Amino acid sequence: MMPRLAFSIFLAVCVAACSGNDDHDDHDDHDHSSEEDAGHSTEGPHGGDLIEVGAEVAHLEVIHDEDAGTITFHVLGPDGKTAMSLADAPELKLTNGDAPQAFTLVSANDENNAYTITDDALKVHGPEGRITITLGGKTYNPELLHDHGH
C-alpha cells in the first residue's frame, strides 16, 4: 500500500469578517461549518482527504505520498464523490520550507479530473500552502494544511 500522509481540513472561518456583510466574494473558498455537519465525509472516494472549494462548488481530494514526493488531487463535484473536469490545471503553492514554491500540476488522466506533481519539495511531512483552481470562470484558493496534532 502506498504510504500516505493524512491531511486535515482546516478551512479558515471568517465569522467576524462575514457577520453583517453579505458581499464577501473575496473569501468564499472556505466553509463556515464543517463538512461532516453538512453530511459530507472528510474522506474521498480514492481514500484521500477532502478540501471544500468555495461554498459547495467543488471538492479536491488530496493524496500525498511523502516517500515518493507526490501529491495527487482529484477534482470532485459538490457531493465530494462525482468527478469534475477542469479547463486549466490547478497550481500548488507551498509555504513550508525556506521559500515559497509554486507548481503547476499535470493532468493524470484524459478526463482532466485528476492532477499530480512529483518533486523533492513534497518529500516533507505535512506540506502546507494553497491550491489555485478555476471553476466556471472564478478562481478559488483553498488551503492545504497539515494537522500538527496527530
Side-chain angles (χ1 to χ4, degrees), residues 44-57:
H46 304 95
D49 293 318
L50 290 179
I51 298 174
E52 185 175 13
V53 178
E56 297 294 324
V57 172

Side-chain angles (χ1 to χ4, degrees), residues 9-16 18 27-33 51-52 130 141-145:
I9 300 173
F10 285 112
L11 299 176
V13 178
C14 296
V15 174
C18 293
H27 63 272
D28 64 354
D29 58 352
H30 63 270
D31 188 12
H32 296 273
S33 64
I51 298 174
E52 185 175 13
R130 289 195 172 269
N141 294 294
E143 287 185 275
L144 173 69
L145 292 174

Side-chain angles (χ1 to χ4, degrees), residues 14-27:
C14 296
V15 174
C18 293
S19 63
N21 182 4
D22 291 335
D23 196 24
H24 56 278
D25 285 341
D26 60 330
H27 63 272

Side-chain angles (χ1 to χ4, degrees), residues 32-97:
H32 296 273
S33 64
S34 78
E35 290 185 87
E36 291 188 61
D37 290 343
H40 294 291
S41 170
T42 57
E43 184 175 307
H46 304 95
D49 293 318
L50 290 179
I51 298 174
E52 185 175 13
V53 178
E56 297 294 324
V57 172
H59 290 83
L60 292 175
E61 181 180 7
V62 182
I63 301 170
H64 177 234
D65 182 341
E66 184 178 330
D67 293 335
T70 301
I71 290 184
T72 301
F73 294 95
H74 293 273
V75 185
L76 304 170
D79 63 359
K81 299 174 187 172
T82 308
M84 275 181 79
S85 296
L86 296 180
D88 299 311
E91 185 174 279
L92 173 64
K93 293 181 183 174
L94 293 181
T95 55
N96 50 342

